[in-house]
Amino acid sequence: MPIRKTEKYEETQVYRVRHSASHVMAQAVMELFPGHAKFAIGPAIEDGFYYDFDLPRALTPDDLVKVEARMREIIRGNHPFIRKELSAAEAKKLFADQPYKIELVEGLERGAEDEDGNPLTAPPVISTYTSDAFTDLCRGPHVESTGKINPDAVKLLNVSGAYWRGDEKRPMLQRIYGTAWNTAQELEEYLWKVEEAKKRDHRKLGKDLDLFQINPEVGPGLVLWHPKGAMIRHLVEEFCKNEHLKNGYDFVYSPHVGRGQLWETSGHLGFYRENMYAPMEMDQEDYYVKPMNCPFHIHVYKAGIRSYRELPIRYAEWGSVYRFEKAGVLHGLMRVRGFTQDDAHIFCRPDQMPQEIDRTLSFCLHILRSFGFTEFHAYLATRPKEKAVGEPAQWDAAIEALRAALDRSGLEYAIDEGGGAFYGPKIDLKIQDALGREWQCSTIQFDFNESERFDLHYVDEDGKEKRPYMIHRALLGSIERFFGVMLEHYGGALPVWLSPVQAMLIPIADRHTDYARKVQEQLLAAGIRVKVDVRTERMNAKIRDAQMQKIPYMLVMGDKEAAAGAVAVRLRSGEDKGAMPVETFLEMVKQALESKE
Amino acid sequence: MPIRKTEKYEETQVYRVRHSASHVMAQAVMELFPGHAKFAIGPAIEDGFYYDFDLPRALTPDDLVKVEARMREIIRGNHPFIRKELSAAEAKKLFADQPYKIELVEGLERGAEDEDGNPLTAPPVISTYTSDAFTDLCRGPHVESTGKINPDAVKLLNVSGAYWRGDEKRPMLQRIYGTAWNTAQELEEYLWKVEEAKKRDHRKLGKDLDLFQINPEVGPGLVLWHPKGAMIRHLVEEFCKNEHLKNGYDFVYSPHVGRGQLWETSGHLGFYRENMYAPMEMDQEDYYVKPMNCPFHIHVYKAGIRSYRELPIRYAEWGSVYRFEKAGVLHGLMRVRGFTQDDAHIFCRPDQMPQEIDRTLSFCLHILRSFGFTEFHAYLATRPKEKAVGEPAQWDAAIEALRAALDRSGLEYAIDEGGGAFYGPKIDLKIQDALGREWQCSTIQFDFNESERFDLHYVDEDGKEKRPYMIHRALLGSIERFFGVMLEHYGGALPVWLSPVQAMLIPIADRHTDYARKVQEQLLAAGIRVKVDVRTERMNAKIRDAQMQKIPYMLVMGDKEAAAGAVAVRLRSGEDKGAMPVETFLEMVKQALESKE
């Protein structure tokens, strides 16, 4: 049973290294402004650390070089980190000239906050850590001594402004970001990934490749798909819809608005209202744009008396839903206010449930693999401790079915104990992209709440009315976000089958345009999406532009090619495949399409 | 130039016949209740006439038989219709015991209403028409004498309640509906069509064939597509989308909500607000669900600097829009509050405009013909008299382009003088269904308003910024309404390519089920949508049920067929095509699919 053990970041060695590096950095900065530097907080964060300072002047890149050099000296000194517990009074005396530390000590005294200003639950112990000439208010943990930090695996990254305690009414401090790793190679890989991630940022690619816009005039978080992006979306939809049909799903379509009553019954107005768009009042009644498709699919189910023989019923819809996320959390296609789910609801008998979960999970993996993802991280989220609807026996059976399906799938998975929604357990699937980043994607989710609230039933073999199981599932999740992830995964160079333009024909001179048109007709007839670059640019400029547009194939044609009925094929990677007959090129494309390269 | 002359209904002979028949009917009813009947109004309406009465008791079907018999006597009497003009005082005296007529005369006196209570513009002339023993307040016109009514082409249809003047606070009257035609054959055809239309009512078919629901709990006028209806919609969309790609359109996708600012700029909040859903106020701002897709497509256009070389640009979207129609006008799929347009916007240079109109019109006819419609009624709507935006020269050029395109298309068309929107002229195309009814469907519409309001331009060959022409067009119009029309046109028996289930396999006994499954696999592999009726019903019941479901092919299989690898094919029309090898059946289906039968 390949259950994956997930170690908490806070318990790892690299976390201690980073936290310790932030102390070392703080010492170096303090030494740069002797008697004039105030220091605030300096935690380890994902992939690194920072420290916030109140300094007499703005830091320069030169300063960072000096600080980094001094850090290496301190590291080489191999000074031990020494912990000391003390009273609030002692701490205040110790940090008498450090107002931010005083404020933190006062917070600890009130018992409300830890050294980083976060809310506390247990009674506070005030402690300091001293290494070399630097003492910080800190509860640790740290490495044993500065020498445990690898001096070749530490790097300062940049400086940015940050309000003290994130409060714009408090002083603006200077935050130095750094990163630290176990080995120089890890550092190098990390820095490469950061650079690569910038280049692959889907917002940048979306602009460079003219794929979509998110325009404040239209509305923050609302996406307009431009022709090339829309073509990709169309191809994704077309593929997925056909796969759904083959996999025994029925399509349904539902409106984007509905009566408030629907969301009263479903419970969304009770527990989800803050994420919903505001109501539209008409004819003395509230209407809402839908945040979810469920109530509509449920009404399709309820349109008839369902027999045990009809089940399982699987309703699928590419349903656009609207959720009013806070402006501050909106982020490109990853976090939006309107998105389309490849949504489906499965209604089945209890005895069909294990098989349905198996089927859904393997269908899910098939779909994700079709888009070129191969690494998945599965999470099984179980019954929350506090409140949960549904019988414990139902929960147990459902969790068992999810677990068994995961076991049979061969996927490694982690248990997210108590992480289920109050209305049912679920499997979450994250996909790993080419840079090793995880993205939440698919969900297979039981719902004991709505089947109850909408009073769903079917007539069983014994003639009695029984409650069906209801399973929500979305495989790509949000098509907007999935598209963003795909763009970053491929750095914009999508597989041939998803490329809006698959080949650019490049006549070398004007006299080759007729031949290019002829080849275009031939390729179009074979179903290839192809354009001709008829601009009066030089060949190399045309090739470069097509490469920038991430077009998979560039077909160059001059006198020789025209005479031979051939094309000179270049790939967007820069690889030159040489001249070949058009038929050979078609065969090459066919293979790429079949293997979804 | 095949311009169609459209005669006004009010100027036709059959209109006079019907109006005259309503007088004859009134006389017969008055004679049935001598001294006790009050009569109100009795106009000719589409396909017939009615008269409203205030009577001492409810009318029975027997009464209608008597009235109809008496009408024929009056008709045979060939009494002339004699017009007389008179003063209001004389009229009041004449109708002293008829309170409804008195009220009508008073309306005429005030100069505000005609004899039927409709608002008047010209000063009133009060007139009566007398035929036989019956005199009515009436401005005519009528036939010369009752003998001009064909006694074999008149029929009374039914009685229903109607408030005097449609006001629920006034008395409830009894309205007798009748119909009258020039010939007995016309009457017969009409009655057949009425019966047929009832059977073909898309609301009835939608329920019988389990295609969709419109559920007050979800919201009036909001459509939920059930699996079989959704499959038809999917097939329609898939076909149309592919045709759009072949025809040089680019897809775009846009959200269903947007900032109020969009509709301020477009002018919709000014002139269209009453049809829009109410605003959603969030972050101190109004958002709206979209009543139209234009502002979004315009923003895609505006995302780049457009060169004259890029034009024409054609953006297509299956865009779901929401318009809050009054509850009283909602009608099945024909008039809804949310529908999906096969919408597109074309941006082109003035010199490209005639070609674009040609192209759009012929594409439109291609699409409509693909769905089996062959009769079209085109209307060219020109510049409205009152207000209109855009230069007269632009209007003239656009109207000329539309007219020329209609001429080249060979379609007969009528001029709808002044019938264009204030923002541009248009071609409307109505399709005629199997019962001869016209349905508004496609629109090709110029827009001089939004290109101005959103300040659209392109850079012309001379380097100057110019305003592009902008053309809206929807071919099916509303997919919901088109689906309703299609259902009624075909009486639910859709062409094979659009049938959600194309063949029902009917094993005669349980022992034939294995063979049926084998045939099913074979047909599924060939892409045919096929089900097996495994119920333990008798063969004839299974055939009948499949016929009721309008499934094109029923494949019956018993011992003989199983032994021969054959199927016995029946059509939904009842026609028995006999036994044939499965391959022969596949060939038959293939031909039906190709010809879109």
Side-chain angles (χ1 to χ4, degrees), chain A residues 213 215-220 222-227 230-231 233-234 237 241-242 245 250-259 262 277-283 287 289 296 299-300 303 315 320 322 324 337, chain B residues 213 215-220 222-227 230-231 233-234 237-238 241 245 250-259 262 277-283 287 289 296 299-300 303 315 320 322 324 337:
Chain A
Q213 67 175 293
N215 185 336
E217 285 187 53
V218 170
L222 298 171
V223 185
L224 289 183
W225 296 67
H226 290 191
M231 174 53 90
R233 173 169 171 169
H234 170 68
E237 286 189 8
K241 283 186 178 173
N242 284 329
L245 284 180
D250 282 321
F251 294 146
V252 296
Y253 292 86
S254 63
H256 303 93
V257 300
R259 281 180 59 194
L262 287 175
Y277 273 63
M280 298 168 271
E281 199 199 319
M282 286 162 307
D283 288 354
Y287 286 76
V289 293
F296 296 108
H299 270 291
V300 177
Y315 293 144
S320 298
Y322 293 86
F324 203 75
R337 283 187 179 162
Chain B
Q213 66 176 293
N215 185 337
E217 284 188 53
V218 170
L222 297 171
V223 185
L224 289 182
W225 297 68
H226 290 191
M231 174 53 92
R233 173 169 168 167
H234 169 69
E237 285 189 8
E238 200 177 38
K241 283 185 179 173
L245 285 180
D250 282 321
F251 295 145
V252 295
Y253 292 86
S254 63
H256 303 92
V257 301
R259 281 180 60 195
L262 287 176
Y277 274 62
M280 298 169 272
E281 199 200 318
M282 287 162 309
D283 289 354
Y287 286 76
V289 294
F296 296 108
H299 271 290
V300 177
Y315 293 144
S320 298
Y322 292 87
F324 204 75
R337 283 187 179 162

Side-chain angles (χ1 to χ4, degrees), chain B residues 70-304:
Chain B
R70 176 64 186 129
M71 283 173 73
R72 283 188 234 285
E73 281 178 21
I74 298 168
I75 288 168
R76 278 191 212 100
N78 199 18
H79 311 286
F81 280 89
I82 298 158
R83 176 186 170 92
K84 190 181 158 195
E85 295 190 3
L86 66 177
S87 69
E90 288 167 326
K92 283 197 225 175
K93 199 173 153 201
L94 185 63
F95 295 110
D97 58 348
Q98 288 293 342
Y100 301 105
K101 296 294 172 189
I102 297 287
E103 193 175 326
L104 291 172
V105 173
E106 285 166 356
L108 284 166
E109 247 182 324
R110 284 196 307 275
E113 294 171 344
D114 69 7
E115 296 84 344
D116 290 335
N118 298 318
L120 257 189
T121 46
V125 176
I126 301 179
S127 60
T128 58
Y129 273 82
T130 302
S131 53
D132 195 13
F134 180 75
T135 296
D136 201 354
L137 181 73
C138 179
R139 58 168 177 169
H142 283 280
V143 292
E144 290 151 40
S145 62
T146 58
K148 297 283 179 191
I149 303 169
N150 182 341
D152 300 327
V154 173
K155 192 171 166 52
L156 300 188
L157 300 172
N158 60 297
V159 182
S160 74
Y163 289 108
W164 168 234
R165 303 204 148 187
D167 181 347
E168 57 184 29
K169 296 189 198 90
R170 310 295 305 271
M172 167 73 90
L173 307 176
Q174 296 188 70
R175 173 172 297 177
I176 307 178
Y177 283 100
T179 189
W181 298 82
N182 291 319
T183 67
Q185 194 190 330
E186 280 181 9
L187 172 64
E188 199 181 322
E189 275 170 15
Y190 169 73
L191 294 174
W192 176 82
K193 279 187 190 172
V194 168
E195 273 316 296
E196 194 59 26
K198 273 187 212 160
K199 279 189 248 166
R200 288 169 181 241
D201 188 315
H202 72 281
R203 294 166 302 177
K204 183 177 179 300
L205 286 171
K207 211 176 164 67
D208 293 349
L209 304 180
D210 193 16
L211 301 176
F212 65 89
Q213 66 176 293
I214 298 178
N215 185 337
E217 284 188 53
V218 170
L222 297 171
V223 185
L224 289 182
W225 297 68
H226 290 191
K228 277 190 269 184
M231 174 53 92
I232 299 166
R233 173 169 168 167
H234 169 69
L235 295 163
V236 170
E237 285 189 8
E238 200 177 38
F239 171 76
C240 286
K241 283 185 179 173
N242 283 327
E243 294 300 306
H244 274 75
L245 285 180
K246 283 192 232 160
N247 208 263
Y249 285 84
D250 282 321
F251 295 145
V252 295
Y253 292 86
S254 63
H256 303 92
V257 301
R259 281 180 60 195
Q261 183 59 45
L262 287 176
W263 319 108
E264 286 289 357
T265 305
S266 73
H268 286 95
L269 279 174
F271 64 80
Y272 202 71
R273 187 193 289 263
E274 71 206 40
N275 284 316
M276 290 173 66
Y277 274 62
M280 298 169 272
E281 199 200 318
M282 287 162 309
D283 289 354
Q284 286 84 53
E285 209 174 336
D286 280 352
Y287 286 76
Y288 288 89
V289 294
K290 64 177 171 185
M292 279 156 183
N293 302 302
C294 344
F296 296 108
H297 293 197
I298 286 172
H299 271 290
V300 177
Y301 180 89
K302 280 172 76 90

Side-chain angles (χ1 to χ4, degrees), chain B residues 353 389-399 425 446 448 451-452 467-469:
Chain B
M353 191 249 293
V389 302
E391 298 303 312
Q394 277 187 314
W395 276 86
D396 292 347
I399 291 169
F446 275 85
F448 303 131
S451 53
E452 201 71 39
R467 189 79 75 213
Y469 272 95

Side-chain angles (χ1 to χ4, degrees), chain B residues 379-452:
Chain B
Y379 299 83
L380 169 55
T382 62
R383 184 176 174 133
K385 295 259 173 340
E386 307 89 54
K387 60 168 187 174
V389 302
E391 298 303 312
Q394 277 187 314
W395 276 86
D396 292 347
I399 291 169
E400 201 36 53
L402 293 174
R403 188 197 305 271
L406 280 169
D407 287 341
R408 281 189 293 267
S409 75
L411 283 175
E412 282 202 352
Y413 61 95
I415 306 282
D416 181 4
E417 204 65 64
F422 77 89
Y423 51 88
K426 64 176 172 173
I427 292 174
D428 277 340
L429 222 59
K430 298 188 184 183
I431 51 180
Q432 185 177 309
D433 75 7
L435 298 185
R437 296 170 301 179
E438 278 190 13
W439 301 94
Q440 167 60 37
C441 187
S442 321
T443 304
I444 304 171
Q445 164 86 62
F446 275 85
D447 191 332
F448 303 131
N449 178 50
E450 290 191 298
S451 53
E452 201 71 39

Side-chain angles (χ1 to χ4, degrees), chain A residues 308-528:
Chain A
Y308 69 98
R309 269 172 294 151
E310 275 178 85
L311 303 184
I313 283 175
R314 308 182 193 98
Y315 293 144
E317 178 174 23
W318 283 65
S320 298
V321 296
Y322 293 86
R323 300 176 186 175
F324 203 75
E325 306 276 359
K326 291 203 171 58
V329 303
L330 297 177
H331 178 80
L333 295 173
M334 302 305 190
R335 197 84 178 259
V336 291
R337 283 187 179 162
F339 58 97
T340 302
Q341 295 179 310
D342 61 330
D343 204 6
H345 291 90
I346 300 170
F347 304 88
C348 70
R349 303 191 307 255
D351 65 290
Q352 294 170 322
M353 191 250 294
Q355 194 191 327
E356 281 306 304
I357 300 289
D358 270 5
R359 186 188 177 104
T360 307
L361 189 57
S362 70
F363 183 48
C364 179
L365 293 173
H366 162 64
I367 291 284
L368 296 178
R369 287 184 179 127
S370 300
F371 291 103
F373 294 97
T374 52
E375 297 293 324
F376 309 104
H377 300 273
Y379 298 84
L380 170 56
T382 63
R383 185 176 173 133
K385 296 257 172 344
E386 308 88 54
K387 61 168 185 173
V389 302
E391 298 303 311
Q394 276 187 315
W395 276 86
D396 292 346
I399 290 168
E400 202 36 52
L402 293 175
R403 187 197 306 271
L406 281 169
D407 287 340
R408 280 188 295 268
S409 75
L411 282 176
E412 282 202 352
Y413 61 95
I415 307 282
D416 181 4
E417 204 64 64
F422 78 90
Y423 51 87
K426 63 176 173 174
I427 292 174
D428 277 340
L429 223 59
K430 297 187 185 183
I431 51 180
Q432 186 177 308
D433 74 7
L435 298 185
R437 297 170 301 179
E438 279 191 12
W439 300 95
Q440 168 61 37
C441 186
S442 321
T443 304
I444 304 172
Q445 164 87 59
F446 274 85
D447 191 331
F448 303 131
N449 178 49
E450 290 190 296
S451 53
E452 202 70 40
R453 281 170 169 269
F454 282 97
D455 192 25
L456 302 187
H457 34 70
Y458 67 95
V459 179
D460 207 356
E461 201 162 2
D462 59 11
K464 288 191 182 137
E465 284 195 345
K466 295 189 182 157
R467 188 79 74 214
Y469 273 97
M470 175 173 160
I471 303 165
H472 309 264
R473 45 114 290 198
L475 308 186
L476 308 182
S478 143
I479 172 70
E480 280 74 8
R481 192 151 50 85
F482 186 77
F483 181 53
V485 171
M486 231 177 20
L487 282 179
E488 300 207 356
H489 178 62
Y490 287 109
L494 295 177
V496 177
W497 72 286
L498 288 173
S499 292
V501 179
Q502 294 171 316
M504 181 61 84
L505 306 193
I506 300 178
I508 293 178
D510 280 354
R511 67 178 181 281
H512 308 118
T513 300
D514 282 352
Y515 176 61
R517 293 278 181 215
K518 217 185 93 195
V519 173
Q520 184 185 30
E521 286 308 313
Q522 198 178 345
L523 297 180
L524 283 175
I528 317 287

